[in-house]
Protein backbone atom coordinates (compact mmCIF):
# COMPACT_ATOMS: atom_id res chain seq x y z
CA UNK A 1 0.00 0.00 0.00
CA UNK A 2 1.25 3.45 -0.89
CA UNK A 3 1.49 6.22 1.71
CA UNK A 4 1.19 9.83 0.61
CA UNK A 5 1.48 13.00 2.69
CA UNK A 6 0.03 16.02 0.88
CA UNK A 7 0.97 19.17 2.79
CA UNK A 8 0.11 17.11 5.87
CA UNK A 9 0.93 18.69 9.20
CA UNK A 10 -0.31 18.28 12.72
CA UNK A 11 -0.82 20.53 15.71
CA UNK A 12 -1.69 18.76 18.96
CA UNK A 13 -4.47 20.34 21.00
CA UNK A 14 -5.22 22.73 18.18
CA UNK A 15 -7.36 25.75 19.15
CA UNK A 16 -6.47 25.34 22.83
CA UNK A 17 -3.88 27.18 24.95
CA UNK A 18 -1.80 24.01 24.92
CA UNK A 19 -1.45 23.86 21.13
CA UNK A 20 1.91 22.35 20.10
CA UNK A 21 3.07 21.62 16.59
CA UNK A 22 4.15 18.03 16.01
CA UNK A 23 4.74 18.18 12.27
CA UNK A 24 4.95 21.04 9.79
CA UNK A 25 3.10 20.64 6.47
CA UNK A 26 4.93 17.85 4.66
CA UNK A 27 4.83 16.37 1.18
CA UNK A 28 6.04 12.80 1.07
CA UNK A 29 5.39 9.66 -0.93
CA UNK A 30 6.28 6.14 0.17
CA UNK A 31 5.63 3.59 -2.54
CA UNK A 32 3.89 0.31 -1.80
CA UNK A 33 6.41 -2.25 -0.56
CA UNK A 34 9.05 0.34 0.40
CA UNK A 35 11.01 -0.21 3.60
CA UNK A 36 11.62 3.18 5.19
CA UNK A 37 13.42 4.34 8.30
CA UNK A 38 12.22 7.56 9.94
CA UNK A 39 14.79 9.09 12.25
CA UNK A 40 15.49 12.23 14.22
CA UNK A 41 16.05 13.47 17.77
CA UNK A 42 13.36 13.55 20.47
CA UNK A 43 10.54 15.93 19.58
CA UNK A 44 11.45 15.92 15.87
CA UNK A 45 8.03 14.64 14.77
CA UNK A 46 8.81 10.93 14.26
CA UNK A 47 5.99 9.68 16.45
CA UNK A 48 3.56 12.24 15.03
CA UNK A 49 4.35 10.92 11.55
CA UNK A 50 3.82 7.35 12.76
CA UNK A 51 0.46 8.15 14.39
CA UNK A 52 -0.66 9.99 11.25
CA UNK A 53 0.21 7.00 9.07
CA UNK A 54 -1.52 4.68 11.53
CA UNK A 55 -4.70 6.70 11.03
CA UNK A 56 -5.15 7.21 14.76
CA UNK A 57 -4.83 10.98 14.47
CA UNK A 58 -6.10 13.10 11.62
CA UNK A 59 -3.75 15.74 10.23
CA UNK A 60 -4.78 19.25 11.26
CA UNK A 61 -3.61 20.42 7.81
CA UNK A 62 -3.41 18.61 4.48
CA UNK A 63 -4.06 14.91 4.13
CA UNK A 64 -2.44 11.53 4.70
CA UNK A 65 -3.52 8.85 2.26
CA UNK A 66 -2.85 5.14 2.74
CA UNK A 67 -3.77 3.02 -0.24
CA UNK A 68 -6.87 4.45 -1.88
CA UNK A 69 -8.20 6.56 0.97
CA UNK A 70 -7.38 8.58 4.07
CA UNK A 71 -5.30 6.75 6.65
CA UNK A 72 -8.12 6.97 9.20
CA UNK A 73 -10.32 4.93 6.83
CA UNK A 74 -7.78 2.10 6.65
CA UNK A 75 -7.29 1.43 10.37
CA UNK A 76 -7.50 -2.35 10.04
CA UNK A 77 -5.06 -2.52 7.13
CA UNK A 78 -2.36 -0.77 9.12
CA UNK A 79 -0.38 -2.54 11.81
CA UNK A 80 1.22 -0.31 14.43
CA UNK A 81 3.80 -1.75 16.82
CA UNK A 82 4.00 0.63 19.77
CA UNK A 83 7.11 1.23 21.82
CA UNK A 84 4.89 0.68 24.90
CA UNK A 85 3.95 -2.72 23.53
CA UNK A 86 2.00 -3.85 26.60
CA UNK A 87 -0.71 -1.31 25.76
CA UNK A 88 -1.63 -3.16 22.59
CA UNK A 89 -1.85 -6.70 23.95
CA UNK A 90 -5.32 -7.24 25.37
CA UNK A 91 -4.96 -10.98 26.06
CA UNK A 92 -3.58 -12.15 29.41
CA UNK A 93 -1.61 -15.05 27.88
CA UNK A 94 -0.12 -15.64 24.44
CA UNK A 95 -2.75 -18.33 23.80
CA UNK A 96 -5.53 -15.94 24.81
CA UNK A 97 -4.09 -13.38 22.42
CA UNK A 98 -4.17 -16.00 19.66
CA UNK A 99 -7.75 -17.04 20.50
CA UNK A 100 -9.07 -13.48 20.32
CA UNK A 101 -8.74 -13.19 16.58
CA UNK A 102 -11.12 -14.80 14.14
CA UNK A 103 -8.33 -15.92 11.86
CA UNK A 104 -6.43 -19.05 11.05
CA UNK A 105 -4.60 -19.91 14.32
CA UNK A 106 -1.93 -21.60 12.22
CA UNK A 107 -1.00 -18.23 10.76
CA UNK A 108 -0.45 -16.82 14.25
CA UNK A 109 1.62 -19.85 15.26
CA UNK A 110 3.75 -19.47 12.14
CA UNK A 111 4.28 -15.79 12.95
CA UNK A 112 5.31 -16.74 16.50
CA UNK A 113 7.70 -19.37 15.11
CA UNK A 114 9.27 -16.84 12.74
CA UNK A 115 10.10 -14.77 15.82
CA UNK A 116 11.78 -17.67 17.60
CA UNK A 117 8.92 -18.95 19.77
CA UNK A 118 7.64 -22.51 19.94
CA UNK A 119 4.35 -23.86 21.32
CA UNK A 120 5.63 -23.65 24.93
CA UNK A 121 5.11 -19.90 24.74
CA UNK A 122 1.32 -20.25 24.40
CA UNK A 123 0.42 -20.62 28.13
CA UNK A 124 2.87 -17.91 29.19
CA UNK A 125 1.36 -14.87 30.91
CA UNK A 126 2.03 -11.64 29.06
CA UNK A 127 2.93 -9.78 32.25
CA UNK A 128 5.58 -12.35 33.13
CA UNK A 129 7.39 -11.80 29.83
CA UNK A 130 10.22 -9.38 29.19
CA UNK A 131 9.60 -6.22 27.20
CA UNK A 132 11.40 -7.77 24.22
CA UNK A 133 9.24 -10.90 24.35
CA UNK A 134 6.06 -8.82 24.64
CA UNK A 135 7.16 -6.84 21.59
CA UNK A 136 7.67 -10.02 19.59
CA UNK A 137 4.26 -11.37 20.66
CA UNK A 138 2.60 -8.12 19.57
CA UNK A 139 4.52 -8.20 16.29
CA UNK A 140 3.43 -11.78 15.68
CA UNK A 141 -0.19 -10.61 15.90
CA UNK A 142 0.50 -7.90 13.33
CA UNK A 143 2.39 -10.29 11.00
CA UNK A 144 -0.49 -12.78 11.17
CA UNK A 145 -2.95 -10.04 10.25
CA UNK A 146 -1.09 -9.51 6.97
CA UNK A 147 -1.43 -5.73 7.11
CA UNK A 148 -0.72 -3.68 3.99
CA UNK A 149 1.30 -1.19 6.04
CA UNK A 150 3.37 -1.92 9.11
CA UNK A 151 4.54 0.95 11.35
CA UNK A 152 7.18 -0.08 13.87
CA UNK A 153 8.04 2.38 16.66
CA UNK A 154 11.55 1.67 17.97
CA UNK A 155 11.07 -2.09 17.41
CA UNK A 156 14.62 -3.06 18.41
CA UNK A 157 14.59 -1.32 21.80
CA UNK A 158 14.89 -3.85 24.63
CA UNK A 159 15.75 -6.79 22.33
CA UNK A 160 18.93 -8.81 22.67
CA UNK A 161 21.12 -9.61 19.66
CA UNK A 162 19.25 -12.81 18.87
CA UNK A 163 15.90 -11.07 19.24
CA UNK A 164 17.03 -8.34 16.85
CA UNK A 165 18.09 -10.95 14.29
CA UNK A 166 14.73 -12.74 14.59
CA UNK A 167 12.73 -9.53 14.26
CA UNK A 168 14.75 -8.33 11.26
CA UNK A 169 14.37 -11.71 9.59
CA UNK A 170 10.61 -11.80 10.25
CA UNK A 171 10.12 -8.32 8.79
CA UNK A 172 12.39 -9.22 5.88
CA UNK A 173 10.23 -12.26 5.15
CA UNK A 174 7.09 -10.14 4.75
CA UNK A 175 5.56 -10.06 1.26
CA UNK A 176 7.17 -7.41 -0.94
CA UNK A 177 3.79 -5.65 -1.15
CA UNK A 178 3.88 -4.76 2.56
CA UNK A 179 5.07 -1.24 3.23
CA UNK A 180 7.16 -0.99 6.40
CA UNK A 181 7.88 2.27 8.20
CA UNK A 182 10.31 1.98 11.10
CA UNK A 183 10.73 4.78 13.63
CA UNK A 184 14.22 4.70 15.08
CA UNK A 185 16.83 6.71 16.91
CA UNK A 186 19.58 4.48 15.61
CA UNK A 187 19.71 4.22 11.83
CA UNK A 188 22.80 2.02 11.82
CA UNK A 189 21.26 -0.59 14.14
CA UNK A 190 18.04 -0.57 12.10
CA UNK A 191 19.74 -0.55 8.69
CA UNK A 192 18.44 -4.02 7.88
CA UNK A 193 14.85 -2.79 8.25
CA UNK A 194 15.05 -0.24 5.44
CA UNK A 195 17.33 1.50 3.02
CA UNK A 196 15.44 4.76 2.57
CA UNK A 197 16.08 7.12 5.48
CA UNK A 198 13.79 10.07 6.19
CA UNK A 199 15.35 12.43 8.73
CA UNK A 200 13.22 14.80 10.76
CA UNK A 201 14.18 17.78 12.86
CA UNK A 202 11.83 20.14 14.71
CA UNK A 203 8.83 18.77 12.87
CA UNK A 204 10.27 19.09 9.34
CA UNK A 205 11.75 16.58 6.91
CA UNK A 206 15.38 17.67 6.59
CA UNK A 207 16.71 14.75 4.53
CA UNK A 208 15.30 11.91 2.45
CA UNK A 209 18.07 9.62 1.21
CA UNK A 210 18.57 6.08 0.08
CA UNK A 211 21.45 4.39 1.87
CA UNK A 212 23.91 2.51 -0.25
CA UNK A 213 25.10 -0.91 0.84
CA UNK A 214 28.52 0.47 1.72
CA UNK A 215 26.81 2.91 4.17
CA UNK A 216 25.69 -0.03 6.27
CA UNK A 217 27.68 -0.97 9.33
CA UNK A 218 30.12 -3.80 8.79
CA UNK B 1 -9.43 9.18 16.75
CA UNK B 2 -7.16 9.26 19.73
CA UNK B 3 -7.97 12.27 21.86
CA UNK B 4 -6.01 13.87 24.61
CA UNK B 5 -7.52 14.56 27.98
CA UNK B 6 -6.62 17.81 29.66
CA UNK B 7 -6.54 16.85 33.28
CA UNK B 8 -5.00 19.37 35.65
CA UNK B 9 -3.39 21.27 32.77
CA UNK B 10 -2.17 24.70 33.75
CA UNK B 11 -2.76 27.67 31.42
CA UNK B 12 0.08 30.18 31.60
CA UNK B 13 -1.42 33.58 32.51
CA UNK B 14 -0.85 36.36 35.05
CA UNK B 15 -4.46 36.92 36.06
CA UNK B 16 -5.68 37.51 39.60
CA UNK B 17 -6.73 33.84 39.80
CA UNK B 18 -3.28 32.71 38.71
CA UNK B 19 -1.53 35.02 41.17
CA UNK B 20 -3.58 33.83 44.16
CA UNK B 21 -1.90 31.21 46.33
CA UNK B 22 -2.85 27.57 45.71
CA UNK B 23 -3.92 27.28 49.39
CA UNK B 24 -6.49 30.05 48.93
CA UNK B 25 -7.90 28.51 45.77
CA UNK B 26 -8.11 25.00 47.19
CA UNK B 27 -9.82 26.28 50.37
CA UNK B 28 -12.24 28.35 48.26
CA UNK B 29 -13.01 25.33 46.07
CA UNK B 30 -13.64 23.09 49.08
CA UNK B 31 -16.00 25.66 50.65
CA UNK B 32 -17.98 26.13 47.42
CA UNK B 33 -18.18 22.40 46.68
CA UNK B 34 -19.43 21.63 50.22
CA UNK B 35 -22.07 24.34 50.05
CA UNK B 36 -23.15 23.23 46.57
CA UNK B 37 -23.27 19.54 47.50
CA UNK B 38 -25.59 20.21 50.43
CA UNK B 39 -27.90 22.52 48.49
CA UNK B 40 -27.88 21.50 44.82
CA UNK B 41 -31.09 23.31 43.79
CA UNK B 42 -31.59 25.13 40.51
CA UNK B 43 -30.60 28.50 42.00
CA UNK B 44 -27.35 26.96 43.27
CA UNK B 45 -26.75 25.45 39.83
CA UNK B 46 -27.17 28.89 38.29
CA UNK B 47 -24.77 30.40 40.85
CA UNK B 48 -22.11 27.76 40.15
CA UNK B 49 -22.38 28.11 36.36
CA UNK B 50 -22.18 31.89 36.73
CA UNK B 51 -19.08 31.33 38.91
CA UNK B 52 -17.52 29.30 36.10
CA UNK B 53 -18.14 32.09 33.59
CA UNK B 54 -16.73 34.61 36.08
CA UNK B 55 -13.70 32.32 36.59
CA UNK B 56 -13.06 32.12 32.84
CA UNK B 57 -13.22 35.92 32.59
CA UNK B 58 -11.14 36.64 35.71
CA UNK B 59 -8.58 34.01 34.73
CA UNK B 60 -8.45 35.42 31.19
CA UNK B 61 -8.93 31.89 29.91
CA UNK B 62 -9.86 31.31 26.27
CA UNK B 63 -12.89 29.23 25.32
CA UNK B 64 -10.45 26.62 23.95
CA UNK B 65 -9.77 25.35 27.49
CA UNK B 66 -13.28 23.90 27.71
CA UNK B 67 -12.94 20.19 26.91
CA UNK B 68 -15.00 18.62 24.16
CA UNK B 69 -17.08 15.86 25.74
CA UNK B 70 -16.26 12.41 24.35
CA UNK B 71 -18.93 10.94 22.07
CA UNK B 72 -19.36 7.99 24.44
CA UNK B 73 -20.23 10.37 27.29
CA UNK B 74 -22.75 12.23 25.13
CA UNK B 75 -24.30 8.92 24.12
CA UNK B 76 -24.52 7.81 27.77
CA UNK B 77 -26.15 11.13 28.66
CA UNK B 78 -28.62 10.67 25.81
CA UNK B 79 -29.59 7.20 27.04
CA UNK B 80 -29.90 8.48 30.59
CA UNK B 81 -32.12 11.38 29.47
CA UNK B 82 -34.33 8.95 27.56
CA UNK B 83 -34.84 6.87 30.68
CA UNK B 84 -35.51 10.08 32.58
CA UNK B 85 -38.23 10.99 30.08
CA UNK B 86 -39.74 7.51 30.26
CA UNK B 87 -39.90 7.62 34.06
CA UNK B 88 -42.35 10.52 33.87
CA UNK B 89 -43.57 12.35 37.01
CA UNK B 90 -44.77 15.91 37.62
CA UNK B 91 -45.00 18.38 35.96
CA UNK B 92 -47.04 17.12 33.00
CA UNK B 93 -47.45 18.64 29.57
CA UNK B 94 -50.07 17.60 27.06
CA UNK B 95 -48.84 16.84 23.59
CA UNK B 96 -51.25 15.53 20.95
CA UNK B 97 -53.69 14.46 23.68
CA UNK B 98 -50.93 12.61 25.56
CA UNK B 99 -49.84 13.60 29.05
CA UNK B 100 -46.07 13.53 29.25
CA UNK B 101 -44.40 13.69 32.67
CA UNK B 102 -41.28 15.83 32.68
CA UNK B 103 -40.28 15.17 36.31
CA UNK B 104 -37.70 12.49 35.46
CA UNK B 105 -35.98 14.42 32.71
CA UNK B 106 -35.88 17.61 34.81
CA UNK B 107 -34.27 15.68 37.67
CA UNK B 108 -31.79 14.10 35.25
CA UNK B 109 -30.93 17.49 33.75
CA UNK B 110 -30.29 18.90 37.21
CA UNK B 111 -28.04 15.94 38.03
CA UNK B 112 -25.95 16.64 34.92
CA UNK B 113 -25.88 20.37 35.65
CA UNK B 114 -24.64 19.72 39.21
CA UNK B 115 -22.04 17.15 38.09
CA UNK B 116 -20.70 19.34 35.29
CA UNK B 117 -20.70 22.35 37.62
CA UNK B 118 -18.54 20.47 40.16
CA UNK B 119 -16.26 19.23 37.39
CA UNK B 120 -16.00 22.77 36.01
CA UNK B 121 -14.90 24.14 39.40
CA UNK B 122 -12.17 21.48 39.61
CA UNK B 123 -11.03 22.25 36.04
CA UNK B 124 -10.93 25.97 36.87
CA UNK B 125 -8.57 25.17 39.74
CA UNK B 126 -6.37 23.11 37.39
CA UNK B 127 -6.25 25.82 34.70
CA UNK B 128 -5.13 28.48 37.18
CA UNK B 129 -2.93 26.46 39.56
CA UNK B 130 0.29 24.59 38.86
CA UNK B 131 -0.16 20.91 39.71
CA UNK B 132 3.09 21.02 41.72
CA UNK B 133 1.50 23.56 44.11
CA UNK B 134 -1.53 21.41 44.92
CA UNK B 135 0.13 19.00 47.40
CA UNK B 136 1.47 21.95 49.41
CA UNK B 137 -2.03 23.45 49.47
CA UNK B 138 -3.55 20.13 50.54
CA UNK B 139 -0.89 19.78 53.24
CA UNK B 140 -1.81 23.20 54.62
CA UNK B 141 -5.52 22.41 54.50
CA UNK B 142 -5.15 19.04 56.23
CA UNK B 143 -2.56 20.13 58.80
CA UNK B 144 -5.12 20.49 61.66
CA UNK B 145 -5.89 16.77 61.28
CA UNK B 146 -2.26 15.93 62.05
CA UNK B 147 -2.90 16.83 65.69
CA UNK B 148 -5.63 14.18 65.79
CA UNK B 149 -3.12 11.51 64.80
CA UNK B 150 -4.37 11.18 61.22
CA UNK B 151 -1.46 10.25 58.89
CA UNK B 152 -1.82 13.32 56.71
CA UNK B 153 1.71 12.92 55.31
CA UNK B 154 0.70 9.60 53.79
CA UNK B 155 -2.52 11.08 52.46
CA UNK B 156 -0.58 13.95 50.86
CA UNK B 157 1.98 11.54 49.38
CA UNK B 158 -0.83 9.50 47.84
CA UNK B 159 -2.42 12.69 46.52
CA UNK B 160 0.88 13.85 45.03
CA UNK B 161 1.41 10.54 43.27
CA UNK B 162 -2.18 10.54 42.00
CA UNK B 163 -1.76 14.05 40.59
CA UNK B 164 1.43 12.99 38.83
CA UNK B 165 0.08 9.69 37.57
CA UNK B 166 -3.36 10.81 36.39
CA UNK B 167 -2.32 12.38 33.05
CA UNK B 168 0.03 9.47 32.30
CA UNK B 169 -2.64 6.89 32.99
CA UNK B 170 -5.26 8.85 31.03
CA UNK B 171 -2.88 8.94 28.05
CA UNK B 172 -2.17 5.22 28.31
CA UNK B 173 -5.85 4.31 28.55
CA UNK B 174 -6.53 6.46 25.46
CA UNK B 175 -3.74 4.56 23.66
CA UNK B 176 -5.15 1.17 24.69
CA UNK B 177 -8.58 2.14 23.33
CA UNK B 178 -7.05 3.55 20.14
CA UNK B 179 -5.05 0.38 19.48
CA UNK B 180 -8.07 -1.84 20.17
CA UNK B 181 -9.92 -0.01 17.39
CA UNK B 182 -7.30 -1.09 14.85
CA UNK B 183 -7.74 -4.78 15.57
CA UNK B 184 -9.65 -7.03 13.22
CA UNK B 185 -12.98 -8.45 14.31
CA UNK B 186 -12.35 -10.69 17.29
CA UNK B 187 -14.18 -13.64 18.72
CA UNK B 188 -14.56 -11.76 22.03
CA UNK B 189 -17.49 -9.55 21.05
CA UNK B 190 -17.97 -6.07 22.45
CA UNK B 191 -18.07 -7.18 26.10
CA UNK B 192 -14.96 -9.34 25.79
CA UNK B 193 -13.07 -6.56 24.05
CA UNK B 194 -14.24 -4.08 26.69
CA UNK B 195 -12.96 -6.40 29.42
CA UNK B 196 -9.64 -6.71 27.56
CA UNK B 197 -9.31 -2.93 27.39
CA UNK B 198 -10.17 -2.63 31.08
CA UNK B 199 -7.64 -5.33 32.04
CA UNK B 200 -4.87 -3.75 29.94
CA UNK B 201 -5.63 -0.29 31.30
CA UNK B 202 -5.53 -1.72 34.83
CA UNK B 203 -2.18 -3.38 34.13
CA UNK B 204 -0.85 -0.03 32.86
CA UNK B 205 -2.10 1.76 35.99
CA UNK B 206 -0.75 -0.89 38.34
CA UNK B 207 2.61 -0.73 36.56
CA UNK B 208 2.71 3.04 37.09
CA UNK B 209 1.83 2.54 40.76
CA UNK B 210 4.61 -0.08 41.00
CA UNK B 211 7.13 2.35 39.49
CA UNK B 212 6.13 5.01 42.02
CA UNK B 213 6.41 2.43 44.82
CA UNK B 214 9.91 1.49 43.68
CA UNK B 215 10.88 5.17 43.53
CA UNK B 216 9.59 5.71 47.09
CA UNK B 217 11.47 2.65 48.34
CA UNK B 218 14.74 3.89 46.87
CA UNK B 219 14.36 7.61 47.57
CA UNK B 220 12.15 7.60 50.66
CA UNK B 221 8.67 9.01 51.24
CA UNK B 222 7.74 12.19 49.44
CA UNK B 223 8.25 15.24 51.62
CA UNK B 224 6.13 18.28 50.99
CA UNK B 225 8.10 21.52 51.56
CA UNK B 226 6.42 23.40 54.42
CA UNK B 227 7.79 26.77 53.31
CA UNK B 228 4.92 29.19 53.71
CA UNK B 229 3.87 30.96 50.53
CA UNK B 230 3.14 34.64 50.65
CA UNK B 231 -0.38 36.04 50.67
CA UNK B 232 -1.12 38.84 48.24
CA UNK B 233 -4.01 41.08 47.25
CA UNK B 234 -5.06 38.41 44.75
CA UNK B 235 -5.82 36.08 47.67
CA UNK B 236 -8.05 38.74 49.19
CA UNK B 237 -9.99 39.02 45.92
CA UNK B 238 -10.43 35.22 45.70
CA UNK B 239 -11.50 34.99 49.37
CA UNK B 240 -14.05 37.78 48.92
CA UNK B 241 -15.53 36.20 45.78
CA UNK B 242 -15.56 32.68 47.26
CA UNK B 243 -17.18 33.93 50.50
CA UNK B 244 -19.93 35.68 48.53
CA UNK B 245 -20.58 32.64 46.33
CA UNK B 246 -20.53 30.21 49.26
CA UNK B 247 -22.98 32.38 51.20
CA UNK B 248 -25.20 32.51 48.11
CA UNK B 249 -25.08 28.73 47.78
CA UNK B 250 -25.99 28.24 51.45
CA UNK B 251 -28.87 30.72 51.35
CA UNK B 252 -30.20 29.74 47.91
CA UNK B 253 -33.68 28.15 47.92
CA UNK B 254 -33.38 24.41 47.37
Amino acid sequence: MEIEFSAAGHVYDVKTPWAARGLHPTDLRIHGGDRVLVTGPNGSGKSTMAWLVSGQIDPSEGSVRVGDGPASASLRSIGFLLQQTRLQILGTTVAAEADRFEMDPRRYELALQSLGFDETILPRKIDEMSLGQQRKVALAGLLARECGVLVLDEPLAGLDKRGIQQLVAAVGALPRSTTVMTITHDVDASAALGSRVISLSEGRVVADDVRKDDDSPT
Amino acid sequence: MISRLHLLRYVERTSVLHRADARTKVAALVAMVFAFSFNPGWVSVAIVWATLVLGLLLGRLPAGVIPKPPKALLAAMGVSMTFGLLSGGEPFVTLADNDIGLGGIILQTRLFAVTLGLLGLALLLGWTTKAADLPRAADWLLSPLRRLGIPTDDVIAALTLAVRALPLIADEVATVIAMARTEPKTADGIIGRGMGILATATVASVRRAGEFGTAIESRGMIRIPRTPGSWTGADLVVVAIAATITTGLVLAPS
Side-chain angles (χ1 to χ4, degrees):
Chain A
M1 289 174 96
E2 186 174 87
I3 301 168
E4 185 174 17
F5 280 60
S6 301
H10 189 65
V11 177
Y12 289 102
D13 303 327
V14 68
K15 294 180 186 166
T16 76
W18 308 288
R21 183 166 281 284
L23 190 70
H24 287 275
T26 300
D27 289 307
L28 186 71
R29 177 171 286 184
I30 298 170
H31 297 287
D34 274 3
R35 308 291 156 102
V36 176
L37 303 181
V38 178
T39 190
N42 289 338
S44 59
K46 302 188 300 293
S47 293
T48 304
M49 190 174 264
W51 281 97
L52 285 170
V53 170
S54 77
Q56 292 287 351
I57 54 174
D58 280 326
S60 41
E61 306 133 307
S63 64
V64 177
R65 195 173 57 79
V66 173
D68 297 329
S72 54
S74 313
L75 285 180
R76 293 192 169 127
S77 309
I78 305 166
F80 190 6
L81 184 70
L82 292 175
Q83 206 174 343
Q84 303 157 285
T85 314
R86 183 63 188 91
L87 299 181
Q88 66 187 110
I89 306 175
L90 299 189
T92 49
T93 63
V94 179
E97 188 68 5
D99 288 344
R100 289 177 53 242
F101 298 105
E102 283 183 348
M103 61 178 170
D104 182 0
R106 183 72 194 136
R107 223 159 61 193
Y108 187 67
E109 282 172 27
L110 283 173
L112 285 170
Q113 279 172 20
S114 73
L115 289 161
F117 293 123
D118 56 29
E119 67 278 2
T120 59
I121 195 72
L122 291 172
R124 284 280 304 278
K125 286 186 178 166
I126 300 293
D127 289 312
E128 290 172 356
M129 302 174 87
S130 70
L131 183 67
Q133 287 175 317
Q134 288 180 4
R135 183 162 300 137
K136 289 198 289 183
V137 168
L139 181 61
L142 299 179
L143 296 177
R145 274 169 51 189
E146 298 180 343
C147 307
V149 171
L150 204 53
V151 182
L152 311 173
D153 191 0
E154 298 287 358
L156 306 185
L159 293 184
D160 57 19
K161 196 174 173 184
R162 189 168 158 71
I164 290 173
Q165 286 169 349
Q166 288 164 340
L167 188 140
V168 167
V171 172
L174 284 168
R176 279 309 305 173
S177 58
T178 308
T179 312
V180 183
M181 176 191 263
T182 304
I183 309 298
T184 180
H185 272 96
D186 190 343
V187 172
D188 287 338
S190 307
L193 292 171
S195 53
R196 180 177 168 191
V197 182
I198 297 169
S199 303
L200 294 172
S201 177
E202 297 179 356
R204 295 177 198 278
V205 174
V206 291
D208 186 350
D209 305 309
V210 176
R211 284 166 65 102
K212 296 182 184 119
D213 284 346
D214 52 6
D215 289 341
S216 303
T218 52
Chain B
M1 294 307 98
I2 188 166
S3 60
R4 295 185 161 212
L5 301 168
H6 305 296
L7 299 167
L8 294 172
R9 282 191 83 173
Y10 181 69
V11 180
E12 197 73 49
R13 293 283 188 276
T14 55
S15 76
V16 65
L17 290 186
H18 289 77
R19 290 198 309 275
D21 195 278
R23 293 171 295 177
T24 310
K25 287 180 276 187
V26 170
L29 178 75
V30 169
M32 288 189 286
V33 166
F34 260 99
F36 189 32
S37 303
F38 285 108
N39 186 14
W42 279 112
V43 177
S44 296
V45 168
I47 291 173
V48 166
W49 280 76
T51 305
L52 292 174
V53 174
L54 180 69
L56 286 172
L57 294 173
L58 279 179
R60 290 192 277 126
L61 297 162
V65 295
I66 300 167
K68 284 183 196 158
K71 284 178 190 160
L73 179 67
L74 290 177
M77 285 172 77
V79 171
S80 179
M81 294 293 248
T82 307
F83 280 120
L85 186 63
L86 292 174
S87 68
E90 288 182 346
F92 290 92
V93 290
T94 307
L95 234 149
D97 291 336
N98 292 313
D99 284 341
I100 299 171
L102 298 179
I105 201 166
I106 289 173
L107 197 65
Q108 198 71 53
T109 307
R110 196 174 74 170
L111 180 69
F112 286 137
V114 169
T115 308
L116 293 177
L118 290 170
L119 182 66
L121 290 174
L123 288 173
L124 189 60
L125 178 74
W127 294 328
T128 57
T129 312
K130 289 179 179 164
D133 291 339
L134 290 175
R136 188 172 62 87
D139 180 61
W140 174 77
L141 205 65
L142 296 178
S143 58
L145 300 178
R146 201 170 288 129
R147 290 185 197 136
L148 301 173
I150 294 171
T152 55
D153 285 349
D154 295 347
V155 172
I156 302 298
L159 178 74
T160 307
L161 293 178
V163 165
R164 284 184 197 168
L166 202 57
L168 298 173
I169 291 171
D171 251 8
E172 291 191 343
V173 171
T175 305
V176 171
I177 293 169
M179 296 313 294
R181 291 177 59 241
T182 68
E183 290 186 343
K185 195 177 169 190
T186 66
D188 299 355
I190 292 174
I191 294 175
R193 182 177 287 214
M195 295 300 285
I197 290 173
L198 190 66
T200 308
T202 306
V203 167
S205 309
V206 168
R207 199 189 63 234
R208 287 283 174 205
E211 286 169 3
F212 283 133
T214 309
I216 288 172
E217 268 180 15
S218 58
R219 292 204 310 243
M221 182 56 101
I222 294 165
R223 295 275 163 232
I224 307 300
R226 298 239 159 84
T227 48
S230 55
W231 306 105
T232 63
D235 294 289
L236 207 59
V237 173
V238 171
V239 168
I241 293 171
T244 307
I245 292 165
T246 307
T247 307
L249 290 171
V250 170
L251 298 179
S254 50

